[in-house]
Amino acid sequence: MTAVEAELMRRVGKLDPAERIGGKSLHRPFLLLWAIGQAVQGREREHRWSTVRDAVGPLMTTYLDLPARAEQVLYPFWHLQRDQLWEFADTENLTLTSDGRRPTLTALNSSDPVAGLPEGAYELISREPEFAARVASHVVSTFFNPPPPGLLEDMGLADLVADRLGRALRPCVGESFTNRNAVSDVYGGNRVMGITPLHDRILSVYSDDEGPYQDAPINEIGWIGYTGDGLRGHQQMTSGNRSMQRYQQQQRALRYWHKPVGGQWTFASWVVIVQLRQRWGVGVDHLARREFVWVLAPVDSPLRDTWPADVIEALEEDDGTLHDDTEGIPAREPSSDTPSGNHDRYRRLTAAARRTADRRTRRSRLVEVERYYRSATAREAVMIRSEDKCENRNCLGHPTERTDADAAILEVDHVDPLARGGADTPETMIALCPNCHALKTRGRNRKRLQTALLKTARLRHEAFMSSAT
């Protein structure tokens, strides 16, 4: 991408309509979309006020449900220039209103000035169809999502974006880079922050399997639990978290980047935020802190009409409520060096997990996430109980193998899957090495193994619950 293209995408990305009663004021994005359509069709760059007034006014009435008044067109015709996406040939003879904010309608009708896209922007859009599709896709996906029937045809953009609306945006899903600097060199954006926009101002979130955050897929549904912004202390609704909250409120898609251990940064998927949770975690200072978990649902594109039905359902149920998984749950703390200390913590975590499980027996506002979201409290209790060893008594793998970070290579699993009504409490959960987990899930003798594992989990649970403090 050239510097000129990047700068134009930055300007388009910064377009931020004012909030009005009933939603955002979309006058400026609407006029910009019309101007893009004119450039794509090979029309002149500059347009007289009377031409824009007579062409755009009726379209605003149709698609923005605005009164058929020339003042509705006057606002974007004048103010789009402050976004550096519109310019006038001559404004010296225009009489302004008493507050000096815009020309009077009488002055515009009398002098009939010309205005249009800046010359550089016009040249790019009129001569580069791929780039024109990229700009149009950005405007549509951000402000007219999904586009009302007939809008793209009336804007002269239907042929341009017929097969590439949404997909024309760059980067493309699947693009990989060796490091964050390489991403920034091509697409702009901050080189360090985990929640940050690229040059087009669309938010990106970065998830590194090597830390420092504990991001993880939510088992069985393919959604992602993404840890909020802030490395130490209780996380606050500021900075990147505030940006995430805004995207949640707008139900707008963002980019999800992922880096596996030893791998490259890859734009893995578009995602939308379907819920916000809060859990106990440990900061880089090794102290317990409350942290946000943004529940991300992958989608094919930023266009709402391409999103799966279960994602749309989740968005309709989400009212922005913070689901607090820390209430009544002890803060995370380093494991005690004494067996009695670990057993005591196990009991307290189990009690908290049962309270959470009891709440989840009732229908929640976000059914899918509440059904499958695994209790971090219960998982922590099982890890304490496992004493960093695979709990399958007949494990033939590497039950004590550890990672480079000296963590046990264990996966906490529901012996009775949640999807079949299994409880989200420690007595029905077990810590397994990856080999035993695979045998339990896909092995030929998995039914027999599941029965044995459930018995083991209950016996170990009873031993931890009954031991003396």
Side-chain angles (χ1 to χ4, degrees), residues 22-270:
K24 285 185 174 291
S25 174
L26 299 178
H27 299 68
R28 285 179 289 143
F30 195 88
L31 179 58
L32 175 61
L33 199 63
W34 178 83
I36 293 170
Q38 296 297 298
V40 167
Q41 296 174 80
R43 308 280 175 79
E44 294 293 328
R45 178 175 73 87
E46 296 178 316
H47 312 276
R48 290 207 169 273
W49 154 249
S50 57
T51 301
V52 178
R53 178 196 62 202
D54 296 343
V56 177
L59 295 176
M60 284 185 166
T61 300
T62 299
Y63 295 110
L64 299 185
D65 195 25
L66 295 173
R69 297 199 303 264
E71 289 86 345
Q72 301 293 348
V73 186
L74 184 157
Y75 175 81
F77 186 79
W78 179 255
H79 287 293
L80 189 60
Q81 62 181 321
R82 74 186 184 195
D83 302 294
Q84 298 181 287
L85 294 168
W86 192 253
E87 61 183 23
F88 280 77
D90 183 15
T91 60
E92 292 183 0
N93 297 321
L94 285 177
T95 302
L96 302 183
T97 56
S98 58
D99 58 10
R101 297 181 62 186
R102 62 180 68 90
T104 64
L105 182 59
T106 300
L108 281 177
N109 289 335
S110 174
S111 61
D112 204 15
V114 296
L117 293 171
E119 187 171 355
Y122 175 84
E123 292 297 323
L124 273 174
I125 292 170
S126 62
R127 296 182 181 181
E128 302 289 342
E130 289 295 330
F131 184 75
R134 189 179 313 167
V135 179
S137 289
H138 188 288
V139 177
V140 171
S141 63
T142 303
F143 303 109
F144 309 100
N145 192 356
L151 173 66
L152 298 179
E153 288 80 1
D154 284 347
M155 290 292 191
L157 294 169
D159 291 339
L160 176 74
V161 299
D163 299 321
R164 48 190 171 187
L165 187 61
R167 292 194 300 272
L169 295 173
R170 295 294 182 273
C172 296
V173 173
E175 285 192 47
S176 295
F177 298 85
T178 55
N179 52 52
R180 291 284 300 277
N181 287 342
V183 177
S184 182
D185 288 343
V186 178
Y187 293 114
N190 187 279
R191 298 169 186 260
V192 178
M193 295 176 63
I195 303 174
T196 184
L198 298 184
H199 63 79
D200 60 6
R201 309 306 298 170
I202 296 176
L203 202 62
S204 279
V205 294
Y206 294 86
S207 178
D208 188 345
D209 284 352
E210 298 182 68
Y213 296 106
Q214 300 300 312
D215 305 329
I218 299 173
N219 283 10
E220 303 182 37
I221 62 173
W223 293 355
I224 302 159
Y226 183 83
T227 309
D229 187 24
L231 287 170
R232 66 182 70 220
H234 297 316
Q235 292 185 344
Q236 306 295 323
M237 195 56 69
T238 57
S239 189
N241 292 323
R242 179 64 59 82
S243 297
M244 295 288 278
Q245 184 183 53
R246 184 165 60 251
Y247 268 64
Q248 181 186 17
Q249 293 168 346
Q250 297 173 354
Q251 297 189 350
R252 184 179 173 189
L254 57 147
R255 296 181 175 104
Y256 173 72
W257 295 76
H258 177 246
K259 179 180 177 293
V261 176
Q264 297 193 103
W265 283 108
T266 300
F267 173 23
S269 177
W270 289 97

Side-chain angles (χ1 to χ4, degrees), residues 161-394:
V161 299
D163 299 321
R164 48 190 171 187
L165 187 61
R167 292 194 300 272
L169 295 173
R170 295 294 182 273
C172 296
V173 173
E175 285 192 47
S176 295
F177 298 85
T178 55
N179 52 52
R180 291 284 300 277
N181 287 342
V183 177
S184 182
D185 288 343
V186 178
Y187 293 114
N190 187 279
R191 298 169 186 260
V192 178
M193 295 176 63
I195 303 174
T196 184
L198 298 184
H199 63 79
D200 60 6
R201 309 306 298 170
I202 296 176
L203 202 62
S204 279
V205 294
Y206 294 86
S207 178
D208 188 345
D209 284 352
E210 298 182 68
Y213 296 106
Q214 300 300 312
D215 305 329
I218 299 173
N219 283 10
E220 303 182 37
I221 62 173
W223 293 355
I224 302 159
Y226 183 83
T227 309
D229 187 24
L231 287 170
R232 66 182 70 220
H234 297 316
Q235 292 185 344
Q236 306 295 323
M237 195 56 69
T238 57
S239 189
N241 292 323
R242 179 64 59 82
S243 297
M244 295 288 278
Q245 184 183 53
R246 184 165 60 251
Y247 268 64
Q248 181 186 17
Q249 293 168 346
Q250 297 173 354
Q251 297 189 350
R252 184 179 173 189
L254 57 147
R255 296 181 175 104
Y256 173 72
W257 295 76
H258 177 246
K259 179 180 177 293
V261 176
Q264 297 193 103
W265 283 108
T266 300
F267 173 23
S269 177
W270 289 97
V271 295
V272 291
I273 302 168
V274 296
Q275 196 180 75
L276 171 60
R277 309 189 74 88
Q278 190 172 53
R279 68 183 176 197
W280 284 110
V282 177
V284 295
D285 52 7
H286 306 296
L287 298 178
R289 53 81 174 271
R290 286 183 171 90
E291 58 189 21
F292 296 125
V293 182
W294 302 93
V295 179
L296 310 179
V299 293
D300 289 338
S301 83
L303 297 176
R304 189 182 180 96
D305 55 7
T306 67
W307 300 349
D310 61 341
V311 174
I312 296 294
E313 179 183 0
L315 290 171
E316 291 173 347
E317 293 177 10
D318 179 37
D319 61 357
T321 298
L322 172 63
H323 297 256
D324 191 352
D325 295 322
T326 69
E327 183 180 359
I329 297 173
R332 295 181 62 181
E333 59 191 29
S335 296
S336 170
D337 291 334
T338 64
S340 61
N342 280 338
H343 286 219
D344 179 62
R345 179 160 176 77
Y346 180 84
R347 281 190 293 275
R348 291 190 291 131
L349 289 169
T350 296
R354 283 176 176 165
R355 288 194 296 271
T356 301
D358 289 342
R359 291 198 301 271
R360 289 174 182 168
T361 60
R362 302 188 294 272
R363 181 176 176 86
S364 69
R365 292 187 60 82
L366 195 57
V367 177
E368 291 300 320
V369 170
E370 289 297 333
R371 181 182 180 190
Y372 292 110
Y373 202 95
R374 301 176 65 181
S375 168
T377 305
R379 290 200 306 275
E380 184 178 355
V382 174
M383 287 299 294
I384 289 175
R385 188 187 71 199
S386 74
E387 298 175 319
D388 285 355
K389 299 182 181 69
C390 178
E391 290 191 299
N392 179 9
R393 290 184 295 181
N394 297 315

Side-chain angles (χ1 to χ4, degrees), residues 5-21:
E5 291 173 338
E7 173 59 22
L8 180 55
M9 290 303 303
R10 185 190 68 81
R11 294 179 189 177
V12 174
K14 289 185 67 176
L15 192 61
D16 187 18
E19 290 285 352
R20 296 285 187 267
I21 296 176

